[in-house]
Amino acid sequence: MTKLEDVAEEAGVSASTVSRALSRPDMVSEATRTRVLDAAERLGYRHNQAARALVTGRTGLLAFSVPSLANPYYAPVIAGAQAAAEEAGCELIVVVTDGSAEREQALYARLSERVDGFAAAAPVSAGTQLSQVARKRPLVTLNRRVRGVSSVVVDTPAGMGALGGHLAGLGHRRIAYLGGPDGSWLDPRRLSALREAVPDCEVAALGPYPPEFEAGVRAADAVLDTGCTAVIAYSSTLLIGLLHRLTLLGKSAPHDLSLACADDLSASGLAMPEVTALHVPAAEAGRRAVQRLLETVTSGPTAATHQLLPVELLTRASTGRPAA
Amino acid sequence: MTKLEDVAEEAGVSASTVSRALSRPDMVSEATRTRVLDAAERLGYRHNQAARALVTGRTGLLAFSVPSLANPYYAPVIAGAQAAAEEAGCELIVVVTDGSAEREQALYARLSERVDGFAAAAPVSAGTQLSQVARKRPLVTLNRRVRGVSSVVVDTPAGMGALGGHLAGLGHRRIAYLGGPDGSWLDPRRLSALREAVPDCEVAALGPYPPEFEAGVRAADAVLDTGCTAVIAYSSTLLIGLLHRLTLLGKSAPHDLSLACADDLSASGLAMPEVTALHVPAAEAGRRAVQRLLETVTSGPTAATHQLLPVELLTRASTGRPAA
DNA sequence: TTGAAAGCGGTACCAG
DNA sequence: CTGGTACCGCTTTCAA
């Protein structure tokens, strides 16, 4: 591999100068800079991250943990995170936690000396544990807010409020909410927001359900049993399963039941069955989390920031007035 | 951070001895080994990967590329890969390529000096490009076979043959195959295998389709237009979309149409609608790919190996005799 | 079997 | 603004 010294020789300067020209361009004269950059280009020079990490203490690696990859929700989140990391010349180590606090803690322990920081999507560890981690390493949580830890949260609770308002406005008085998964920080907040938004309605909270097609299938009968005229599923895969089963039972939306989803459907490539849903800026959330993480990494510990990303209510054909 | 020297002091030996005790236990005496291990334990010593990488040239990082994370197929694949990497003390850098050859090449260029090797799931780059990469860095392909490059391939073509035999045995003579995605190496091989297995049948190849619910919805009419009595979808999400649309049209399986999936349904949490499908050892495939990669990394370049993993035909209620 | 010493490829301080 | 030099933490000769 071509190293600094090779470039130095090619450019007729010292290794230190090459290092500066590459990392702090403003510390060398215009002339040498171009000469060095030229030489580096000619030789196809690339930084040796290990060597750099050894002296700077920064590895250029970020850990990004997600509860699961089976939920398509995280596909755009990771895409956004990856894009942000790449722009900063960093790489993402994606780790799946299966929604287990132990696995989360294990990964913090295992990786804390290998990465510059952690982004944790929907972590289930105790708040105190997360604060602890944040004291040792830069940490940003996604869809979870902990005192003293920077976070990016998609405001689905507000979206649930809007969704509730929409349904109540159509005349619904009994609404079912298919919640889940266990340990979710957002889930109870969505439910509360919904209840507050529709004080005149009865809200039947069902669940928890995993974000899977089959869970939606299973949930259908429970939903019908509640006698609700509208149902909100917290995830798109859940909704699709529900939809499937209801169709099989000869129920159609919005005629027999209004159907809505508290999650984005576009990740599932779902526009065809026109389902009322919340548009969630998932890629943006992933991007923001990593950007914020990089700020902390670069500028050292600062006061925690909490970003709340708005969601948009997309009213479509699956919701309507309840049957008399 | 506690370093080698700290442990050395604690154990009353030199740093070199600690290094040996930790990395080549058989090179030190029983007594010192335990003493060193004790000391290391006491101090909570952890290797500094950067320092180690600088001298050994091995980073303990593996790149794992996948076309997409929206397809739940890759969730177990990555889980298996991650487990194998973790057992070897390595970390996985997961990169999404969106099925683009340029992005694949870009990632090889970007990462080739940062990782010990590459595992590429369903890469679309030209075979010559992949061979080229393999010459510079250990490379294992998954669901793609290239001369001279180690590979792990799930034998879905054989599975398609079995599926075809099953359908033909039931009396089907016109079978539709919903294929995709573009650039897939396996896809044409599955189609050929199907055709060979059912020489008496007419096989209508539809597609390519992306592995999305909505694509399945859209495909339904095309399927009905073919007048086929059975349909095989290449991915589970596609199948679910198809199933939804067919149900909506009042068609039921297997009465109106036999339905099968060339992909595993369990990743989608799908057992309820009893769909005939291939069971694909996805986690095992991911695990094997990484294990083989690690072998190459450890033992240096050896002859390429090609592993073919069998799939299992799960015959369920969605397939039956065609309606007279 | 063990210790001393020489780097691995960079960065950053210190003179000049 | 530039070059010389001392490390960063670990592995690996080379001697003892």
Side-chain angles (χ1 to χ4, degrees):
Chain A
M1 280 307 90
T2 64
K3 43 181 169 180
L4 270 190
E5 207 178 331
D6 303 333
V7 180
E9 195 167 342
E10 173 83 7
V13 294
S14 76
S16 335
T17 303
V18 177
S19 175
R20 287 194 204 94
L22 262 30
S23 315
R24 278 91 168 288
D26 45 309
M27 284 186 70
V28 302
S29 75
E30 168 84 47
T32 38
R33 189 188 322 149
T34 49
R35 198 139 45 87
V36 169
L37 261 41
D38 266 23
E41 169 84 358
R42 234 177 353 257
L43 271 51
Y45 173 78
R46 313 243 1 230
H47 275 299
N48 178 325
Q49 284 290 347
R52 169 179 273 193
L54 184 53
V55 46
T56 61
R58 287 190 41 191
T59 60
L61 257 30
L62 302 175
F64 195 101
S65 68
V66 294
S68 156
L69 286 177
N71 187 347
Y73 179 86
Y74 290 108
V77 174
I78 291 177
Q82 204 162 85
E86 201 173 324
E87 282 165 22
C90 290
E91 298 301 328
L92 231 52
I93 294 182
V94 176
V95 189
V96 179
T97 64
D98 284 327
S100 143
E102 297 86 63
R103 299 190 63 142
E104 283 175 15
Q105 293 301 313
L107 93 88
Y108 297 138
R110 182 159 57 88
L111 257 38
S112 68
E113 327 231 318
R114 290 204 68 173
V115 301
D116 293 338
F118 293 95
V124 299
S125 291
T128 51
Q129 290 181 301
L130 292 170
S131 306
Q132 200 108 39
V133 172
R135 257 192 294 282
K136 293 194 56 183
R137 279 280 166 201
L139 168 67
V140 174
T141 55
L142 192 55
N143 284 355
R144 165 90 182 256
R145 188 172 166 161
V146 174
R147 258 184 73 89
V149 179
S150 287
S151 63
V152 175
V153 172
V154 175
D155 199 359
T156 38
M160 284 292 277
L163 206 42
H166 166 66
L167 292 171
L170 287 168
H172 294 275
R173 287 300 169 264
R174 289 178 64 84
I175 301 174
Y177 173 59
L178 301 187
D182 236 354
S184 161
W185 180 85
L186 269 180
D187 198 52
R189 283 163 180 79
R190 290 196 249 200
L191 187 55
S192 309
L194 174 61
R195 289 202 155 114
E196 274 175 39
V198 292
D200 298 342
C201 292
E202 195 175 326
V203 174
L206 272 40
Y209 292 102
E212 293 168 0
F213 181 86
E214 197 193 335
V217 171
R218 282 197 316 264
D221 296 292
V223 168
L224 294 175
D225 283 349
T226 62
C228 288
T229 57
V231 54
I232 303 174
Y234 95 95
S235 100
S236 59
T237 39
L238 197 60
L239 177 113
I240 295 176
L242 176 67
L243 183 60
H244 171 72
R245 178 73 181 149
L246 290 176
T247 309
L248 216 50
L249 295 173
K251 307 285 182 187
S252 74
H255 183 260
D256 302 298
L257 198 64
S258 278
L259 235 55
C261 185
D263 187 8
D264 208 307
L265 295 174
S266 54
S268 313
L270 195 71
M272 182 80 186
E274 293 259 317
V275 178
T276 293
L278 299 181
H279 170 65
V280 173
E284 179 67 12
R287 160 177 292 281
R288 297 274 196 116
V290 166
Q291 282 173 341
R292 179 63 191 130
L293 181 56
L294 285 167
E295 283 172 24
T296 317
V297 168
T298 311
S299 329
T302 50
T305 62
H306 298 284
Q307 301 179 55
L308 199 57
L309 269 47
V311 305
E312 190 186 349
L313 173 60
L314 301 177
T315 308
R316 292 190 283 218
S318 68
T319 46
R321 306 199 161 278
Chain B
M1 281 304 90
T2 66
K3 44 181 167 179
L4 226 40
E5 205 179 315
D6 303 334
V7 181
E9 194 167 343
E10 174 83 7
V13 294
S14 76
S16 338
T17 303
V18 177
S19 174
R20 288 193 199 94
L22 261 30
S23 314
R24 280 92 167 289
D26 45 309
M27 283 186 70
V28 302
S29 76
E30 168 85 48
T32 39
R33 189 188 321 151
T34 50
R35 199 140 43 87
V36 169
L37 262 40
D38 266 25
E41 169 85 358
R42 235 178 352 259
L43 271 50
Y45 173 78
R46 314 243 1 230
H47 271 119
N48 178 325
Q49 284 290 348
R52 167 178 275 195
L54 184 54
V55 45
T56 62
R58 288 191 39 192
T59 60
L61 257 29
L62 302 175
F64 195 101
S65 67
V66 294
S68 157
L69 286 177
N71 187 348
Y73 178 86
Y74 290 108
V77 174
I78 291 176
Q82 203 160 86
E86 199 172 326
E87 282 166 22
C90 290
E91 298 302 329
L92 232 52
I93 294 181
V94 176
V95 189
V96 180
T97 64
D98 283 327
S100 141
E102 296 86 65
R103 298 190 62 140
E104 283 176 16
Q105 293 301 314
L107 94 88
Y108 297 138
R110 181 159 57 89
L111 256 38
S112 69
E113 328 232 316
R114 289 204 68 173
V115 302
D116 293 338
F118 294 94
V124 299
S125 291
T128 52
Q129 291 181 302
L130 292 170
S131 307
Q132 198 110 39
V133 172
R135 258 193 291 283
K136 292 194 55 181
R137 278 282 165 200
L139 168 67
V140 173
T141 54
L142 191 57
N143 284 354
R144 166 90 183 255
R145 188 173 166 159
V146 174
R147 258 183 73 87
V149 179
S150 286
S151 63
V152 174
V153 172
V154 175
D155 199 0
T156 38
M160 284 293 278
L163 206 42
H166 166 66
L167 292 172
L170 286 169
H172 293 275
R173 288 299 171 264
R174 289 178 64 84
I175 301 174
Y177 173 59
L178 301 188
D182 237 354
S184 163
W185 180 85
L186 269 180
D187 198 53
R189 284 163 180 79
R190 289 197 250 202
L191 187 55
S192 309
L194 175 61
R195 290 203 155 116
E196 274 175 39
V198 292
D200 299 342
C201 291
E202 194 176 327
V203 174
L206 271 41
Y209 292 101
E212 293 169 359
F213 181 86
E214 197 192 335
V217 171
R218 281 198 316 263
D221 295 292
V223 168
L224 294 175
D225 283 350
T226 63
C228 288
T229 58
V231 55
I232 303 174
Y234 94 95
S235 102
S236 60
T237 38
L238 197 60
L239 177 113
I240 296 175
L242 176 67
L243 183 60
H244 171 72
R245 178 73 183 152
L246 291 175
T247 309
L248 215 52
L249 295 172
K251 308 285 181 188
S252 74
H255 183 262
D256 301 299
L257 199 62
S258 278
L259 236 53
C261 185
D263 187 8
D264 207 310
L265 295 172
S266 55
S268 315
L270 195 72
M272 183 79 187
E274 293 257 319
V275 178
T276 292
L278 299 180
H279 170 65
V280 173
E284 180 67 13
R287 160 177 292 282
R288 297 275 196 114
V290 166
Q291 282 174 340
R292 178 63 191 128
L293 182 55
L294 286 168
E295 283 172 25
T296 316
V297 168
T298 311
S299 328
T302 51
T305 63
H306 297 285
Q307 301 180 55
L308 199 57
L309 269 47
V311 305
E312 190 186 350
L313 173 60
L314 301 178
T315 308
R316 292 190 283 218
S318 69
T319 46
R321 305 197 163 280

